[in-house]
Amino acid sequence: MDAGKPAPPARREAVLVVDDSVVQRQHAAGLCRALGVGEVHEAQHGRDALALLDAMPHPPSLMVIDLEMPVMDGFELIQQMGKRGLRIPFLVASSREGALVRAVEVMAATLGMPLLGGVAKPLTAEVLAGALQGSHEVDARAVAAAVPNAQPPIAPELLAAALQAGSVVPHYQPKVDIRTGLVRGVEVLARWTDPVLGVVPPDRFIATAEQHGLIHGLTRSILDQSMAQVAHWNARGLVLSLAVNLSPLLLQTPTLVEEISALLAHHGVAAGQLVLEITEGSLVGYDAGTMGLLARLRMRGVGLSIDDYGTGFSSMQQLARIPFTELKIDRSFVHGAHRQAHLRVILQSALEMAGRLGLVSVAEGVETIDDWRLLQEFGCTVGQGFLVARPMVGGALPRWMKSHERRLPELRMPRTAARAAAEEETK
Ligand code: C2E
Ligand code: CA
Ligand code: CA
């Protein structure tokens, strides 16, 4: 940006300012207009803002939210927006201490809300112009992310038939050593390939499977197919760990341990090659039965991963009690961490905790080389994401491995950084 005056936004914008102080509201609204924002809306508190949002034909491109307000404060407003799926980019403007703003940052990250930053009042033109710019990037991502959810869930009868017909198949996404770029394993992601519907993503059928008693059969089928694939790779000297997502509902199935053991034996795959990913959210209220089941799996040598870490509310004490081997940090804390301070704080503390508990740390959703470098710097163990590869059919993996070899120099940890990390370790 050149000296002083920020460039006006290129498209027609709408901004909603939520603040109980008339002076602050008018100040922010005035800045918006000066920046060429087409529509500026004002609300006095959270409830007022929610009513306005309900009435708007299109959500605004940006919201500026005060924290302390009567009737409904900024915290509750952000929570309510999260509940309603209103993922509108927003800026928090507060005259209070930084700790409060940081609390909002953690809350927003947990809810998956696109917070662009927390700023001290009064708002400036530079900050606002930057936020408007940032809101465009978030908009584009939010639209992309919303597409699968926009589709209705699949009817259970259709899913049952697809399972019967063997149309629900595993795809594989590589999990890669962050320091060297070498492939360590794959995560299995279920895909339904239908001649009419095309490739249906799991977001559209896992919940249906869970609600209609089909998740057990689905998981058994995925385990069976992916173990067969791994046995095939093993036989050709390609030994990779296999990570399979386990629905929390299955943690209530006492026969699960025997079933998994039987499948491993049938395919001649070592238990140590299998990792089960279980979402953090499902572990909060776990009972003795679940605990026993996890311990028995672990005793047989199966690896256990805490999936989507950061989206639930588990405590370190809880995590330490369960025999986990891996901590998988949710992609909402990974994507964009190199340029968002609040994400970096959470990411770094999660990685530190994983290290202290002796767990392998995995960062999912790595899309850019900048985030990749940050993870190297923070000492993360394994990375997974579109930067490395999208999920693919089993048959495509060997060829992908060949092309991946050519990318190793780019993905490898830069020499000086690697040396510094090694020195740090030997201290
Ligand atoms: P998850 O376990 O968190 O899996 C990671 C999801 O992130 C996958 O979505 C993957 O395609 C996507 N992903 C990977 N890298 C990137 C990236 O760089 N950027 C972005 N934006 N996304 C990335 P997918 O395949 O649509 O799976 C969605 C969820 O469905 C999974 O989330 C998992 O919870 C569930 N799921 C998939 N297969 C199974 C299964 O066999 N059983 C159960 N119970 N759940 C499954
Ligand atoms: Ca997973
Ligand atoms: Ca996840």
Side-chain angles (χ1 to χ4, degrees):
M1 211 173 289
D2 59 5
K5 203 167 162 38
R11 60 165 192 182
R12 189 172 171 80
E13 308 269 4
V15 175
L16 169 57
V17 181
V18 193
D19 199 316
D20 60 322
S21 148
V22 182
V23 176
Q24 296 288 354
R25 226 164 51 220
Q26 287 179 348
H27 169 69
L31 286 178
C32 289
R33 291 198 188 91
L35 285 170
V37 170
E39 282 172 45
V40 186
H41 304 270
E42 296 177 31
Q44 307 178 39
H45 49 67
R47 199 181 299 160
D48 205 11
L50 287 175
L52 251 177
L53 287 169
D54 278 342
M56 284 181 181
H58 304 289
S61 24
L62 175 71
M63 287 175 68
V64 179
I65 302 176
D66 177 31
L67 285 184
E68 286 169 291
M69 293 179 288
V71 187
M72 183 190 285
D73 62 29
F75 285 95
E76 195 180 345
L77 171 60
I78 294 160
Q79 258 163 349
Q80 288 296 333
M81 286 168 54
K83 267 198 197 142
R84 294 169 190 215
L86 291 168
R87 296 200 156 55
I88 302 163
F90 68 101
L91 201 64
V92 164
S94 175
S95 38
R96 292 294 296 269
E97 69 270 30
L100 264 185
V101 175
R102 276 196 295 283
V104 181
E105 289 175 342
V106 172
M107 187 179 85
T110 310
L111 294 169
M113 293 287 290
L115 172 62
L116 296 170
V119 294
K121 286 188 195 173
L123 209 58
T124 65
E126 276 72 22
V127 165
L128 200 57
L132 283 165
Q133 186 55 45
S135 73
H136 301 175
E137 289 168 26
V138 175
D139 272 1
R141 270 200 277 143
V143 169
V147 170
N149 298 336
Q151 307 249 12
I154 297 287
E157 301 76 39
L158 271 179
L159 180 58
L163 282 169
Q164 201 75 45
S167 323
V168 177
V169 297
H171 281 214
Y172 302 85
Q173 188 179 33
K175 290 170 92 169
V176 165
D177 187 296
I178 284 264
R179 283 200 183 178
T180 60
L182 296 172
V183 183
R184 287 200 176 191
V186 287
E187 175 177 4
V188 180
L189 295 156
R191 298 283 181 270
W192 170 359
T193 45
D194 181 87
V196 180
L197 300 169
V199 177
V200 183
D203 286 340
R204 285 188 67 199
F205 61 82
I206 294 294
T208 303
E210 288 178 335
Q211 284 153 18
H212 295 88
L214 298 169
I215 192 68
H216 194 155
L218 185 151
T219 307
R220 200 183 309 117
S221 162
I222 289 290
L223 279 165
D224 189 35
Q225 296 179 66
S226 57
M227 283 185 199
Q229 177 67 77
V230 160
H232 174 83
W233 285 331
N234 280 349
R236 279 151 192 79
L238 177 61
V239 181
L240 299 173
S241 81
L242 177 72
V244 177
N245 290 287
L246 198 65
S247 162
L249 291 183
L250 294 177
L251 299 178
Q252 309 295 328
T253 310
T255 54
L256 191 74
V257 182
E258 294 314 323
E259 273 178 53
I260 290 178
S261 294
L263 278 171
L264 286 166
H266 174 74
H267 291 287
V269 173
Q273 226 177 322
L274 179 66
V275 178
L276 296 173
E277 297 191 0
I278 301 149
T279 54
E280 183 200 17
S282 64
L283 296 169
V284 173
Y286 70 86
D287 54 21
T290 301
M291 179 75 170
L293 189 140
L294 291 172
R296 281 163 61 219
L297 283 166
R298 185 67 206 113
M299 237 157 41
R300 308 238 169 154
V302 174
L304 298 175
S305 173
I306 304 167
D307 204 357
D308 298 341
Y309 179 73
T311 59
F313 292 93
S314 54
S315 64
M316 188 154 168
Q317 202 184 19
Q318 265 172 328
L319 297 183
R321 268 206 298 261
I322 311 175
F324 280 104
T325 52
E326 182 180 285
L327 188 76
K328 196 159 179 187
I329 300 160
D330 192 66
R331 68 168 184 263
S332 57
F333 303 101
V334 175
H335 182 82
H338 78 278
R339 58 182 158 79
Q340 281 175 278
H342 66 285
L343 296 184
R344 273 200 303 279
V345 172
I346 298 168
L347 186 61
Q348 197 168 20
S349 71
L351 289 170
E352 264 170 33
M353 190 188 74
R356 256 183 266 145
L357 292 172
L359 303 175
V360 170
S361 49
V362 183
E364 63 169 29
V366 191
E367 293 187 11
T368 65
I369 194 74
D370 293 328
D371 288 334
W372 184 262
R373 293 273 177 261
L374 183 78
L375 290 161
Q376 289 180 324
E377 188 190 316
F378 283 176
C380 181
T381 331
V382 174
Q384 179 185 349
F386 296 166
L387 173 72
V388 175
R390 293 195 174 241
M392 63 190 98
V393 293
L397 196 95
R399 179 148 19 120
W400 172 82
M401 295 276 287
K402 287 226 163 65
S403 67
H404 179 67
E405 262 170 42
R406 290 194 289 276
R407 281 190 72 200
L408 289 179
E410 176 204 355
L411 295 176
R412 198 176 294 141
M413 198 165 179
R415 257 243 182 80
T416 45
R419 194 174 305 138
E423 278 167 16
E424 186 65 29
E425 257 173 28
T426 51
K427 251 190 222 164

